[in-house]
Amino acid sequence: MKLSHLTEPPLEFGGAMRHVDIRFGLMDYGPFDAGMEGAPKRIKVGIVGSAETVEGTARWLESCRTGFEAKASRQPNLFPVFPGLSFEEAFRCEFVTSDELQRVLPPKEIARLAAIPGQREMTRAVVESIADEIGVLSERTTKPDVVLVALPIEIIQRTYNARAATSSENDDGAPDESGPELDFRGMLKASCMRLHLPIQLLWPTTFDPAYKIPRKLKENSDRRTQDPATIAWNLLTAVYYKAGGLPWRLARDARQLRTSFVELSFYRSIDGEHVHTSTAQMFDERGEGLILRGGRMVESEEDRRPHLTAEDAYELLRNSLKVFRQQHGHYPARVVLHKTSRFDRNELAGFHKAIDERDIDYADLIWVQKSMTRLYRLGVYPPLRGSLLRFEKDQALLYTRGSVEFFRTYPGMYVPRPLMLRCQALGQPLQHVAAEMLALTKMNWNNTQFDNGLPITIAAAKQVGEVLKYVPDGQEIAPRYSFYM
Amino acid sequence: MKKIGRSDIIGQRGMAHIDGVVHSMGYVFYPTGGVEAGIDGYIELRDEQTEVVGNLLLQVQGKSTERQRLQAETDDSFEFPCSENDISYWLHGTAPVLLIVVLPERGTAYWKSIKEWFRDPERLKARKVVFDKNNDEFDRNAKQAIAAIALATSPGAVAPSARIQEDLLVNLLGVSFGKTLYWAPTDHATDKSFGAALREIDPDAGGEWIVRSKSVLSFHDLDRWPWNKLCQAEAMEEFGSDEWADSDDEDRQRDFVALLNRAMGRFVQPTLWHDRDSGAYYFRKPRDRDKLRYAYKSLKSFVPRDVVKRYGKRRDDPTRPAYFRHSAFLHRFTRLGSEWYAEITPTYHFTRDGYKPDELFGGERLKRIKELENNAAVMGQFVMWRHFLTTHGTATLYADQYPFLGFLALDPLCLEVGVPDDLWKSQEGDPGSPLFDWAQAEAAS
């Protein structure tokens, strides 16, 4: 066993400047695409909600213009100021909204929706009603770039049962007990896909922390509202990305191979209870995420978990590579596949066939899991993020959550769980694979605090599955990750 | 006749001392020189390993003195008076200011961060800095604290790493196991039916066997009573355990883990009980007492820990406890590289009366305590379980060593960078946060 530490991977911002931290990087250098052709200059923000929430959200957006003070904290790096919105600050672009970009659900309609009995029926009706409003916006001459869906309390109460809007963190893949209940978020995203408008859900607590949202008894953690600066950072970064901007990318050495990171995952379809369908999420160093839907799963005799047939594995990767080529004009020099379960014999055969067919010399097939194997420090704080324990040349434990030197604290609860990495095909040294994995945890556009537990490939998988399960087979799916996050 | 005053020499000795200490930290010292109004120089932070400098600066005001006795000096402290002009000059600046009092005769110096010190209005009124001789010495060890001050004034700055070497423990134990495995055909198709038949013959027969497709695999010699009554001992085969342990065949590995798990159940007897639902092993409550203490060798010395304890009062009968909390662990046998390890995860088991599981609130209680416990708390429990597993079942006067399973502690692993706990703790914004408050975690538990 060999223990070492990976330094915090830097990210690249405007002017090719680098910083380890997202928010300070944006503040100091602006987004990666600042000054580039196609970078958003003026983002038209649509808003849909009740009279109250639309007005509140518009007011909030207005107040973002002047910025928010840093949270009073002794961790100045963890809770920085939000400097405001202008051509000189953070995003180097404007965020605007106006009456033409807004749609208000009448009180009568909200009351009607909230009164519909049955979770499934009500969710369907709410989704339809909100999607209709977004549809109206999508046909206007001044079309919004992104739509904020500011949910009224009455609808939150009825639609969010056991899940929170952004629960991609700390997910252990535990089976969802809500069973046949419909997931409002996934369904709404799925139904807005055809409108070609990315949406962002938000709760009234965003613009007014005094809002009390009654929760079900089952939910025990209070939803503690973040400080205004953090809210603005997170929400506006997501909006910037959804509007086509590129806030940051992985800082990579020019000598490194052009790599495509692909995550393979399965989700359970809503129509047939036990049918799993596979997807591939593909990311390059720009975090450009592309989503593909693959074949149906088969249950492997080896471990009785969902797997792809050799043919489906081949098809899925072949298509991924094709999409990469359409984007970049060439095939990647290296492919990294992530999966949260073991690659079985058939999958290995299928993937290798697709890789060989394109003469790709470097492939890393990595099985990533949260681990119960842990390290304990002799102190209050858990081990540092970046701690890497190598067992052998193809297996290692990586701390992606842990004490963060830049924040000078451990920004989490309980003792963190590291990731166990097992490389079933190793093209690059394990140290390199692990460093890349750590860097990929920083590519989450939904969160500007960089110490995410999972790499974006895997974090995205769950969100993608939750949306895709509501998109019927045969219907075209949006390839951009913006429509799923 | 030309002269250079004594005070100039004293001042220069002081500067030389500061210069030496700063460089020993790996930082850089730039004396102001030329015209200056009281700031004698600047410290620039530098990463000793990478040699990177990032324009992180601190101002230094040196005060050198040959006085035998300093103002209000005791063994532990002394005072340094400051003029109003000095104070206002320091506090107006943009950079942090260190006041460093050098005692060249004694070869020591002491430091304070002036802006932090005078943030307190009482101190500002008193116009003096009180130095703590034990904590304020300006030497190489002050390096991290100085870096912290520079960083606090410049959010977003990336600090040179705290290059503290530190030891980490991995929650794995080495595993040794019986050298021989026995295999024989049987008429029984399942563990359940084989077990029932076995207990009928000998209620105390060990459980270190498994049944797979009408054959038994066991650490026990199947040629002996009572095993030979239930399998075709004449067809028995003997194997080195390695044939299973080192096999790459997944089925074989699974069977071997199953066998190790059966041995584990036997190994921990009679001290621990097993909770089938969670898979945890936990300390059982003594029949005659409401509490069990277990003394174990922690990293330094033997310490006792309450491993079974009653908590709260029942609403319907306040003389009875609301619940019992038992120290517990979850385990998993795993092969990493070519070695077998047991992964040990400390947890708790909750019962209503020391026996019956607390099905209603157990989950909630477990969640709550996990929210309170930090790295140090969980590490302490791991060290206890490590002590238990590596010492339990060893040979005594009355009993032989358990033959089929044993555990070995692993050496701590050394990491070249670490966490400066004390420094960070002093930065924690919310001292009431249970996450960082050891005492509170203990009190709540």
Side-chain angles (χ1 to χ4, degrees):
Chain A
M1 278 185 236
K2 234 173 136 183
L3 187 59
S4 58
H5 181 255
L6 303 170
T7 51
E8 193 58 55
L11 297 170
E12 208 169 301
F13 297 90
M17 298 300 277
R18 295 178 172 199
H19 202 292
V20 295
D21 184 72
I22 292 166
R23 290 168 290 191
F24 285 99
L26 285 171
M27 260 191 279
D28 292 354
Y29 312 119
F32 173 75
D33 55 0
M36 289 183 190
E37 188 128 341
K41 289 273 175 291
R42 193 181 149 85
I43 296 174
K44 296 190 289 294
V45 181
I47 308 174
V48 171
S50 66
E52 194 185 1
T53 62
V54 167
E55 196 268 333
T57 305
R59 204 165 7 93
W60 171 79
L61 197 62
E62 182 59 34
S63 63
C64 288
R65 203 186 287 269
T66 45
F68 299 101
E69 274 177 42
K71 179 178 168 182
S73 154
R74 300 194 71 173
Q75 262 87 33
N77 285 359
L78 190 54
F79 302 108
V81 61
F82 180 76
L85 296 172
S86 73
F87 291 115
E88 285 79 43
E89 299 288 2
F91 297 103
R92 314 284 198 263
C93 96
E94 281 185 309
F95 292 69
V96 295
T97 184
S98 66
D99 289 348
E100 301 88 82
L101 296 167
Q102 298 164 4
R103 289 290 293 178
V104 172
L105 289 165
K108 237 172 130 180
E109 173 67 358
I110 294 170
R112 178 188 76 85
L113 292 169
I116 295 173
Q119 198 270 346
R120 296 174 70 96
E121 291 69 24
M122 181 272 317
T123 304
R124 257 193 216 107
V126 173
V127 165
E128 194 180 315
S129 182
I130 292 176
D132 281 350
E133 298 299 337
I134 297 170
V136 172
L137 290 180
S138 77
E139 277 158 19
R140 294 237 164 118
T141 10
T142 7
K143 215 176 114 173
D145 300 301
V146 187
V147 178
L148 299 180
V149 180
L151 297 170
I153 300 271
E154 298 88 328
I155 287 179
I156 293 173
Q157 265 180 285
R158 289 294 318 273
T159 49
Y160 281 78
N161 281 305
R163 37 179 113 221
T166 51
S167 62
S168 57
E169 239 329 283
N170 299 327
D171 179 74
D172 292 350
D176 187 357
E177 283 168 26
S178 59
E181 291 193 343
L182 296 176
D183 174 40
F184 166 70
R185 177 188 171 279
M187 218 174 157
L188 183 63
K189 299 232 167 194
S191 90
C192 290
M193 210 171 259
R194 62 190 157 78
L195 303 171
H196 302 288
L197 268 183
I199 61 168
Q200 170 73 46
L201 292 169
L202 62 88
W203 290 21
T205 42
T206 301
F207 52 82
D208 186 355
Y211 266 90
K212 287 276 169 287
I213 295 170
R215 317 218 80 194
K216 267 201 159 184
L217 280 176
K218 215 174 127 192
E219 297 235 359
N220 27 39
S221 63
D222 323 304
R223 187 186 167 88
R224 231 186 290 161
T225 334
Q226 292 167 312
D227 62 290
T230 303
I231 290 178
W233 272 120
N234 289 340
L235 205 57
L236 292 172
T237 302
V239 169
Y240 184 79
Y241 180 70
K242 287 177 182 180
L246 200 52
W248 64 89
R249 72 168 189 185
L250 294 181
R252 289 172 66 81
D253 196 316
R255 287 164 300 183
Q256 277 168 17
L257 300 167
R258 198 65 187 267
T259 304
S260 172
F261 302 95
V262 183
E263 147 79 18
L264 295 142
S265 58
F266 300 91
Y267 64 91
R268 189 173 283 197
S269 313
I270 196 84
D271 42 2
E273 277 279 297
H274 298 290
V275 181
H276 288 76
T277 307
S278 61
T279 63
Q281 289 74 237
M282 191 176 37
F283 293 89
D284 58 18
E285 74 268 26
R286 294 180 304 180
E288 205 59 75
L290 290 154
I291 317 297
L292 292 160
R293 182 144 62 175
R296 298 222 182 277
M297 71 95 187
V298 288
E299 201 166 80
S300 164
E301 284 166 20
E302 283 173 37
D303 57 5
R304 268 169 266 135
R305 300 194 57 165
H307 285 282
L308 292 171
T309 62
E311 185 57 28
D312 282 350
Y314 165 74
E315 280 290 328
L316 196 55
L317 186 56
R318 199 177 71 120
N319 289 335
S320 299
L321 293 171
K322 213 157 76 189
V323 172
F324 186 97
R325 182 158 182 258
Q326 281 160 7
Q327 275 255 311
H328 298 275
H330 58 82
Y331 288 110
R334 174 170 167 253
V335 173
V336 180
L337 290 170
H338 292 163
K339 198 163 175 287
T340 55
S341 59
R342 184 191 281 278
F343 292 85
D344 77 356
R345 230 170 288 129
N346 297 328
E347 288 166 337
L348 289 173
F351 292 140
H352 280 300
K353 187 179 165 199
I355 290 163
D356 293 343
E357 189 179 86
R358 297 289 166 221
D359 285 334
I360 294 167
D361 291 329
Y362 298 91
D364 296 280
L365 274 58
I366 308 157
W367 169 20
V368 187
Q369 270 183 316
K370 277 202 179 169
S371 176
M372 295 296 275
T373 304
R374 285 186 170 113
L375 292 164
Y376 298 118
R377 282 187 63 250
L378 316 184
V380 175
Y381 297 91
L384 286 165
R385 166 177 155 93
S387 297
L388 179 71
L389 179 60
R390 276 168 293 171
F391 298 108
E392 50 189 323
K393 72 171 189 345
D394 54 6
Q395 186 168 9
L397 196 69
L398 172 67
Y399 269 83
T400 50
R401 292 281 287 156
S403 295
V404 178
E405 203 165 357
F406 184 76
F407 299 141
R408 304 164 67 73
T409 188
Y410 165 52
M413 296 287 277
Y414 198 53
V415 288
R417 282 176 72 181
L419 301 180
M420 184 67 88
L421 314 180
R422 269 168 281 202
C423 304
Q424 291 182 251
L426 194 59
Q428 293 287 313
L430 184 59
Q431 182 97 6
H432 181 88
V433 167
E436 221 164 43
M437 190 71 71
L438 191 63
L440 285 170
T441 62
K442 307 177 85 159
M443 297 303 288
N444 183 349
W445 315 114
N446 266 330
N447 188 1
T448 52
Q449 189 181 309
F450 64 74
D451 61 324
N452 297 295
L454 294 171
I456 185 61
T457 45
I458 292 170
K462 193 176 169 245
Q463 294 179 318
V464 170
E466 273 173 7
V467 174
L468 276 191
K469 72 161 83 163
Y470 295 103
V471 181
D473 275 350
Q475 186 182 313
E476 202 179 316
I477 62 168
R480 274 205 85 201
Y481 175 51
S482 334
F483 288 89
Y484 303 84
M485 61 179 263
Chain B
M1 198 178 287
K2 292 194 176 185
K3 280 185 180 178
I4 290 175
R6 189 174 158 73
S7 64
D8 291 327
I9 297 295
I10 297 171
Q12 201 50 46
R13 283 182 74 185
M15 291 301 287
H17 186 93
I18 293 172
D19 188 82
V21 171
V22 170
H23 284 108
S24 80
M25 292 172 176
Y27 295 163
V28 190
F29 187 67
Y30 309 107
T32 313
V35 181
E36 49 104 349
I39 295 300
D40 300 309
Y42 301 90
I43 296 174
E44 176 162 23
L45 304 195
R46 167 179 166 275
D47 192 314
E48 244 181 315
Q49 229 80 39
T50 61
E51 303 176 348
V52 169
V53 285
N55 201 14
L56 288 170
L57 298 173
L58 298 114
Q59 294 183 332
V60 173
Q61 165 89 68
K63 296 280 184 188
S64 189
T65 174
E66 284 188 336
R67 278 176 65 165
Q68 288 300 305
R69 194 191 131 72
L70 303 161
Q71 181 172 316
E73 184 170 11
T74 67
D75 285 350
D76 297 321
S77 68
F78 65 89
E79 293 176 354
F80 192 88
C82 306
S83 78
E84 207 162 344
N85 274 342
D86 268 348
I87 295 174
S88 84
Y89 182 67
W90 294 332
L91 296 188
H92 267 98
T94 50
V97 179
L98 305 186
L99 173 64
I100 302 177
V101 175
V102 189
L103 311 170
E105 295 300 303
R106 303 188 203 173
T108 57
Y110 299 95
W111 71 285
K112 267 282 191 264
S113 168
I114 287 297
K115 285 185 178 171
E116 278 185 42
W117 177 262
F118 283 120
R119 196 171 289 153
D120 178 348
E122 286 301 308
R123 291 172 179 171
L124 199 58
K125 224 163 69 191
R127 290 222 310 264
K128 65 186 179 193
V129 180
V130 180
F131 286 88
D132 177 338
K133 288 186 184 173
N134 301 312
N135 290 323
D136 296 344
E137 192 163 347
F138 185 66
D139 59 11
R140 200 186 138 75
N141 297 329
K143 181 177 171 173
Q144 290 308 326
I146 286 174
I149 288 161
L151 288 169
T153 59
S154 172
V158 181
S161 296
R163 307 269 171 196
I164 309 169
Q165 262 202 6
E166 65 178 22
D167 282 342
L168 278 81
L169 302 177
V170 59
N171 65 340
L172 298 174
L173 298 176
V175 175
S176 63
F177 39 81
K179 289 279 161 280
T180 315
L181 284 181
Y182 301 89
W183 177 94
T186 177
D187 291 337
H188 295 276
T190 62
D191 282 341
K192 201 173 165 184
S193 95
F194 187 87
L198 183 64
R199 270 186 299 279
E200 220 160 83
I201 306 171
D202 178 5
D204 297 325
E208 301 88 339
W209 47 262
I210 54 167
V211 175
R212 294 286 183 273
S213 35
K214 286 211 155 186
S215 51
V216 201
L217 186 69
S218 169
F219 278 126
H220 289 280
D221 185 348
L222 298 173
D223 202 11
R224 297 205 182 160
W225 186 87
W227 322 96
N228 55 9
K229 297 277 168 207
L230 296 170
C231 55
Q232 298 156 33
E234 62 283 357
M236 185 186 85
E237 286 185 57
E238 222 177 293
F239 297 94
S241 302
D242 299 350
E243 287 199 36
W244 265 260
D246 299 343
S247 170
D248 283 329
D249 181 82
E250 285 188 37
D251 284 338
R252 273 210 165 180
Q253 274 208 30
R254 258 197 293 273
D255 288 348
F256 188 65
V257 167
L259 210 49
L260 289 180
N261 282 331
R262 300 294 291 264
M264 184 73 156
R266 195 73 175 183
F267 173 86
V268 299
Q269 286 177 8
T271 322
L272 306 186
W273 282 358
H274 187 235
D275 178 51
R276 265 175 192 278
D277 287 340
S278 65
Y281 285 102
Y282 60 95
F283 278 105
R284 66 189 183 91
K285 184 180 98 63
R287 220 168 270 285
D288 48 346
R289 280 170 295 139
D290 273 359
K291 184 159 149 176
L292 179 66
R293 286 201 143 183
Y294 178 74
Y296 68 101
K297 196 163 185 309
S298 78
L299 299 167
K300 291 191 186 99
S301 54
F302 271 89
V303 289
R305 178 185 284 268
D306 291 331
V307 289
V308 179
K309 205 174 162 187
R310 56 181 286 173
Y311 291 88
K313 288 180 188 139
R314 270 176 66 153
R315 219 172 274 164
D316 53 345
D317 180 359
T319 63
R320 289 163 63 199
Y323 65 96
F324 282 83
R325 198 184 75 196
H326 308 245
S327 292
F329 70 87
L330 295 165
H331 81 285
R332 194 170 64 94
F333 289 102
T334 176
R335 195 172 72 159
L336 295 165
S338 52
E339 301 288 326
W340 279 93
Y341 298 97
E343 174 195 87
I344 304 296
T345 305
T347 181
Y348 295 96
H349 179 69
F350 292 90
T351 59
R352 282 185 286 150
D353 52 5
Y355 305 98
K356 291 191 206 79
D358 187 355
E359 278 155 359
L360 218 52
F361 301 110
E364 194 56 38
R365 294 200 167 105
L366 187 61
K367 194 167 176 294
R368 240 184 67 75
I369 193 164
K370 286 198 170 180
E371 279 170 359
L372 290 169
E373 287 187 331
N374 58 14
N375 170 77
V378 184
M379 182 200 62
Q381 293 160 53
F382 168 69
V383 172
M384 176 188 76
W385 285 119
R386 184 177 70 173
H387 177 85
F388 176 88
L389 290 166
T390 53
T391 57
H392 180 77
T394 44
T396 64
L397 212 51
Y398 310 103
D400 291 335
Q401 180 167 352
Y402 181 72
F404 303 137
L405 190 61
F407 297 95
L408 304 158
L410 304 182
D411 289 332
L413 300 153
C414 183
L415 194 61
E416 73 275 24
V417 287
V419 174
D421 274 273
D422 289 340
L423 218 62
W424 284 13
K425 239 182 343 189
S426 69
Q427 295 277 322
E428 289 303 337
D430 177 12
S433 161
L435 197 56
F436 300 99
D437 196 330
W438 183 230
Q440 198 170 339
E442 285 285 87
S445 61

